[in-house]
Amino acid sequence: MQPEQLHRHYTGLTDAQVLESRKQHGENTLTQPAKESLWKAFFEKFTDPIILILLVALVLSIGVSCYEFFSGHGTVSVFFEPAGILIAVLLATVVGFLFELSANKKFEVLNKANDDTLVKVIRSGNICQISKKEVVTGDIVILDTGEEIPADGVLLETVSLQINESTLTGEPVIKKTIHPEDFDKDATYPSNHALKGTTVADGHGVMEVQTVGDATEYGKVYKGSQIDNSIETPLNKQLDKLANLITKASYAIAGLIIAGRLFVYFSGLEAFDWITFGSYLLNTVMIAVTLIVVAVPEGLPMSVTLSLALSMKRMLSTNNLVRKMHACETMGAATIICTDKTGTLTQNQMKIYQTDFYRLQDQTLADNETSLLIKEGISVNSTAYLDYSDPARIKALGNPTEGALLLWLHEQNINYLSLREEADIVEQLTFSTERKYMATIVRSPLLNRKILYVKGAPEIILGLSSVVPVAKEEILAQLLNYQNQAMRTLAFAYQIIEDDKEYIHKGKLHDANLTFLGIAAISDPVRAEVPEAVKTCLTAGIGVKIVTGDTPGTAKEIGRQIGLWQPDEPEYHHLTGAEFAAMSDSDLMNRILDLKILSRARPMDKQRLVQLLQQKEQVVAVTGDGTNDAPALNVAQVGLSMGDGTSVAKEASDITILDNSFNSISRAVMWGRSLYQNIQRFILFQMTINVAACLIVLTGAFLGTESPLTVTQMLWVNLIMDTFAALALASLPPNDKVMNDKPRKTTDHIINRAMTKSILGAGLAFVLLLFGLLQYFKHADITSLSAFGLTDFAQRYFDFSAGNGLSAYELSLFFTIFVMLQFWNMFNAKAFMTGKSAFAALGQCKGFLSIAFVIIVGQWIIVTIGGEMFNVTMLHPKDWAIIIGSTSIVLWIGEIRRLFN
């Protein structure tokens, strides 16, 4: 049957019917989600819990500064602190916003779509071409090989029609028919239906459109992919806890200051005076507010943002295009990865697994002519082609199974096209699902004879062959072995034609005398790196679940090949889509953690699985490349789409894996875990500074002394230096050993027990040392640290008399010692949780060393030329050397502890 014979008795819709159908059922376009405005995206950055604390601190700081300025107690410099906090807020929010904006621009280039592709329809009895978006319900559409189906419809006629449904079900080739007796009862979608977004792999047919646009299966999936995902990320949950901790601790200490100072005031009171008391109370409140402001780590949001942004950039170099910044870290908290099969675990390209061609006893053929028969037969008896436009990834065009045979020839450096073009094709019978074979008669230039080549289903070809070189039982046993491995099989036969008989008659072989050549096993092979990557994930305590539209047998075989499904695996760990849909949520909640494979799954099954896993407190990452994966990609904490996936899948994802490699996914987990450790390290670093600063303010509040650290000095420490330190710690290379750990719990606090001990221990030690220095400087006129004596230091530690006050030089010494203590503590933070020396692999941490150098240079510049703005004066080179050397004891104490631990 020729293609043009298919549509002769169809008249299609009239122009009036087209307008009425469009009015009643709508256009064949998908409703695009409302694009979030840039302003809204920017202001969302201000919902970060630490940013909210900073905003409160900003308001309080402005209030204090206004009071000091307008009461005459301070100059315009009192506004430096609120200005610094405002800069910290803007930097943290703007950097995050700009990085995500940049990633989305890259993504838009990657993800262009087109609704203007032309399709053939019959209207008013005429065949015409219209764009996909003009198709309406009731249209008669002609389908040919290679074309994308524009809408959902019921098939009216089919000829050898095979459809690639991988975008919706994950299956590359589905046989379609209009004959009920040939329907596949286990098929995900009916055998006589064609669906929008799928493509015709082979054959042709005629379809009547039933649904268009949002009403199609593709449209339903697209709509599902737009459902708002309000799942809070693990890092946000933990930063919320940290924000609450900082808020409660700072308010508690502020309350303690007010209560304590009031107690001191009234305990020594002889006569009460409202004016004196009011002044004292206002001063007490100002100290309390100052402590609250000091307690907030202004550099923390900027540090987190910079770390995430730096990871976004570095992950791109490992083929992970991160669109949403939080996904960098959330991957490290993943406890479950739900992955589709086709295109993620497998190559989504059919390839020859093995060939079994038999030695022929044909006396008319020379020894080398058997191989010529095989090469020429595969080349000419095919309707597929190869696309050589990308030498690194040659693609098959047309039927994937036939394409696999051509790729096999290509791997042996055989040009199928020249063999096909040189042969004179006399007659050809294309493959059909009804007869299950293809036959071609050619005049062979290689053998100088007329030859009939046949390929098809092995049981059919065996039945047609009169000469079989080996026992049929041996062939059937081999076929069974391949089929048990979920492979497709093809058989080949030939006949040398010496007469003028008609061997192809009425669409079938007639009176042929075929010789059986052999069989080929064909599969969509597992990507080479997947088994090791899956093993890495399982070792890291991450569960892997295969969710596919493919058959149970194929899904289990792929699971076996990647090390997920064992030979003695209980069937309890597998469900089909129909079984899954029939079960209630409560029944599934008791089973989903043990589930390893969900086969014959529909798009919304995967989304439901993800949501149920999230109810079990799991952090779920979903991988996929098809439209069928989009709803699950959207609702997961992290959605990972493939670089060559559909536009709908990529739009719903957080990260796009540019090289389509599952190995890149396990690397993303490693990056995420390493990033989380780095975030913990600079929280350790920053909170140590803030604890020390708070204790200094608290001590001063009860001793009646002002803080020796000015507002601008604290801004340098809390904003600039901390940001540099965060960059230094974020630049540390990822650590492969994190993949030996189990995923952290979402209920864990970001400051763990070991961090708490370190923060409080180091903070208290720094305060005791700094308090002693203040006492020493207050009673000694220091012009050089070379005159420092431990005996004098000890004697003056508890001398609470007024003393001589602090000179500008002594304040500069104090400020520099404070900064250098934190500087050396940064090296301890680098080694935290590694069990190694801070000097380990230091040569590989060039970014860390560079930033450490910048911090020292920055401190020298501020002390040297900062002058009145920073309340400092230039230090002698000898004092610089003493400070750097003596404060390094912080590092050496840390090294000794790590050595013994």
Side-chain angles (χ1 to χ4, degrees), residues 1-8 10 120 140-149 154-164 174-179 191-194 199-208 383 398-399 428-435:
M1 184 182 292
Q2 297 301 314
E4 60 269 15
Q5 294 176 310
L6 283 168
H7 48 78
R8 284 183 176 172
Y10 300 111
K120 296 188 289 292
I140 305 297
V141 181
I142 301 168
L143 306 174
D144 283 319
T145 302
E147 293 180 347
E148 183 176 305
I149 294 168
V154 63
L155 293 165
L156 304 177
E157 296 197 28
T158 61
V159 173
S160 305
L161 185 62
Q162 297 183 66
I163 291 180
N164 181 345
I174 302 295
K175 294 175 182 176
K176 295 293 182 179
T177 179
I178 59 173
H179 304 295
S191 296
N192 65 334
H193 279 225
T199 53
V200 179
D202 198 12
H204 38 266
V206 176
M207 174 186 84
E208 181 179 349
T383 57
N399 185 289
Q428 190 169 74
L429 202 60
T430 57
F431 184 88
S432 77
T433 53
E434 292 77 23
R435 56 176 170 265

Side-chain angles (χ1 to χ4, degrees), residues 36-93:
E36 187 178 56
S37 71
L38 292 179
W39 281 112
K40 184 179 178 184
F42 175 65
F43 283 121
E44 278 182 357
K45 296 295 173 189
F46 288 86
T47 60
D48 180 275
I50 303 292
I51 293 289
L52 290 174
I53 289 186
L54 274 182
L55 291 174
V56 172
L58 175 62
V59 172
L60 292 174
S61 182
I62 290 172
V64 171
S65 299
C66 287
Y67 166 75
E68 291 184 349
F69 180 75
F70 292 112
S71 66
H73 291 108
T75 64
V76 73
S77 62
V78 297
F79 290 102
F80 283 152
E81 180 155 349
I85 296 174
L86 180 62
I87 291 169
V89 170
L90 291 176
L91 281 175
T93 51

Side-chain angles (χ1 to χ4, degrees), residues 470-538:
V470 297
K472 286 189 178 182
E473 291 74 15
E474 181 182 332
I475 297 172
L476 292 173
Q478 187 62 56
L479 288 170
L480 183 61
N481 177 46
Y482 291 141
Q483 287 159 6
N484 286 339
Q485 297 179 61
M487 295 183 187
R488 298 179 187 179
T489 51
L490 276 179
F492 305 86
Y494 78 99
Q495 178 182 342
I496 296 176
I497 299 175
E498 307 285 2
D499 52 36
D500 294 326
K501 286 176 63 177
E502 188 178 12
Y503 288 96
I504 295 177
H505 181 68
K506 293 185 177 180
K508 290 185 178 180
L509 286 177
H510 175 67
D511 202 19
N513 183 27
L514 298 176
T515 299
F516 195 81
L517 262 175
I519 58 175
I522 302 169
S523 67
D524 180 7
V526 166
R527 293 178 180 272
E529 75 281 357
V530 167
E532 187 60 34
V534 169
K535 182 181 177 183
T536 300
C537 290
L538 295 175

Side-chain angles (χ1 to χ4, degrees), residues 682-695:
F682 64 70
I683 286 176
L684 171 74
F685 172 80
Q686 290 187 328
M687 291 307 293
T688 302
I689 294 175
N690 284 76
V691 164
C694 282
L695 289 174

Side-chain angles (χ1 to χ4, degrees), residues 586-635:
S586 58
D587 289 339
L588 284 171
M589 289 289 278
N590 297 323
R591 190 167 175 180
I592 51 171
L593 290 180
D594 296 320
L595 186 67
K596 289 188 176 182
I597 296 175
L598 180 61
S599 61
R600 288 298 189 195
R602 291 197 176 196
M604 303 314 285
D605 293 338
K606 197 169 184 177
Q607 183 190 40
R608 183 186 177 204
L609 173 64
V610 171
Q611 290 172 322
L612 289 173
L613 285 167
Q614 288 170 340
Q615 290 177 35
K616 297 285 279 185
E617 298 298 323
Q618 300 298 307
V619 178
V620 187
V622 171
T623 73
D625 64 343
T627 302
N628 58 317
D629 302 311
L633 287 168
N634 180 63
V635 82

Side-chain angles (χ1 to χ4, degrees), residues 349-356 404-405 408 411 478 481-483 485-489 519-526 557 560-561:
Q349 186 172 62
M350 304 302 289
K351 288 189 175 181
I352 299 294
Y353 171 75
Q354 188 170 322
T355 58
D356 297 295
L405 295 169
W408 180 70
E411 288 169 1
Q478 187 62 56
N481 177 46
Y482 291 141
Q483 287 159 6
Q485 297 179 61
M487 295 183 187
R488 298 179 187 179
T489 51
I519 58 175
I522 302 169
S523 67
D524 180 7
V526 166
E557 174 57 25
R560 184 193 66 78
Q561 291 181 31

